[in-house]
Amino acid sequence: MQQLQLAAEMLGLDEGLLEILKYPKRAAIVAVPIRRDDGKINVFTGFRVQHNDARGPYKGGIRYHPEVTLEEVTALAMWMTWKCAVAGIPYGGAKGGVRCNPKELSLAELERVTRRYTTMILNVIGPYQDVPAPDIYTDAQTMAWIMDTYSQFKGYLVPEVVTGKPLHLEGSEGREEATARGLTFCANEAAKHLKMKIGGATVCIQGFGKVGFNAARLLDTQGSRIIAVTDSKGGVYNQEGVNPAKVYRHKVKTGSILNYEGCKNITNQQLFETKCDILIPAAIENQITEENAGDIETRLVVEGANGPTTPQASEILVEKGIFVVPDILANSGGVTVSYFEWVQNLHREHWTEEEVRKKLKSMMLNAFDDVYDAMKKHETDMRTAALMLGVGRVADSLISLGLWP
Ligand code: NAD
């Protein structure tokens, strides 16, 4: 809300338009009862919030997390609206979630949660209405269950109802690593402006999931040194750099990054205090705060997670002269390839990995340049520039559509 307010002020946005943009168009809260493997019944709470669809169907991930709230999902839905507008793709913004601890659920229980949740939001999703995708602790398998549940009700297969599906089930080449690849393009562009070499740059990453791990892997192949990585349990540090694939294997084997050979164990807090050239928060929101922003010693922050930096921390980073590529730009590679997947599904096409990467690069570089130019033009920081661009594009669509009735 604070971000929207600031962008609206800088754009000189009409007060009525701002009022429209402050609220989601629809917020669904649903009960998700399932039978556990032991026969008992548990009821989880699910959400789907649709913020704005002035530029196209709603689009946004679904997360399974014990701390999911309506407020969080609403904020994430609004960010999706700006993100899709900044990325230049014809989508609005939405987000969903189920308040549960997926680590305590068996695969069969997760399937039942997913199918029941899908049934409860069946009337508000659809290929031209709202197209969900994976987010924290959901994956291609989750999307396959959603697609199957939706298709069972329709009576025919509807792959275009979700993105981030398995490759053999109408998924897109390059989707799994898309967010990280897009983030890496942004890191490279920002480094050029900072006259910093990516090869040899030291990198700290919080979160070692789909975004964090793939970002580590891609930057490692460019010669960057990944000196610290953490996940929900903490992580490891080694000034010489770690091999991301080996750390990943260690995590799969032991259930955690901790105690990886030749490294010092660190906490998430220590990760933010580690001096580096590039810092990538790729876990959850509100990790860089007023309390720790002052300790951050880096030249470049590239936000893989959504909302990892609080507004107060954001100001501190700007004052410190740290170049921040904000979430709605830096992690938009995921939704961009999701859009490619949807287009392929609608046309019953399958593009090659090379085609996907080429198109992603072109769209990411365009988006980066648009935000960078807006930053220069308005003499502001990258986050405010990205918000102004996103909010401005949505406002333009709303003005032309008019207000019904
Ligand atoms: P994921 O579930 O694959 O990984 C999440 C990672 O964060 C895990 O390593 C987990 O251990 C870690 N984590 C969770 N809570 C933490 C905590 N309190 N402290 C430290 N680490 C913690 O999820 P993901 O898809 O990689 O998503 C990560 C972030 O990126 C989220 O904010 C998500 O909204 C955002 N994002 C993801 C995509 C995508 O395509 N997957 C796209 C855009 C944005």
Side-chain angles (χ1 to χ4, degrees), residues 129-250:
Q129 193 175 359
D130 183 350
V131 186
D135 195 69
I136 295 179
Y137 298 138
T138 55
D139 56 16
Q141 177 60 72
T142 324
M143 297 307 113
W145 289 328
I146 296 179
M147 166 184 165
D148 184 62
T149 307
Y150 187 87
S151 300
Q152 294 298 336
F153 276 90
K154 285 284 162 195
Y156 50 89
L157 203 67
V158 192
E160 54 274 22
V161 69
V162 279
T163 58
K165 299 179 291 293
L167 208 49
H168 57 272
L169 208 62
E170 310 294 333
S172 176
E173 303 286 344
R175 174 61 186 89
E176 180 77 15
E177 56 155 45
T179 307
R181 191 167 283 279
L183 183 148
T184 310
F185 289 138
C186 288
N188 276 270
E189 286 310 290
K192 271 187 218 159
H193 289 294
L194 294 171
K195 304 207 176 350
M196 179 170 94
K197 282 206 173 71
I198 286 283
T202 50
V203 183
C204 290
I205 305 182
Q206 187 201 30
F208 207 58
K210 293 180 285 290
V211 181
F213 164 63
N214 282 306
R217 188 176 59 78
L218 292 170
L219 286 168
D220 178 65
T221 59
Q222 284 199 283
S224 302
R225 251 189 304 147
I226 316 301
I227 61 168
V229 287
T230 53
D231 68 8
S232 55
K233 295 178 184 152
V236 292
Y237 162 81
N238 181 336
Q239 190 58 31
E240 299 311 310
V242 296
N243 178 318
K246 286 187 180 164
V247 178
Y248 185 78
R249 280 201 289 276
H250 172 79

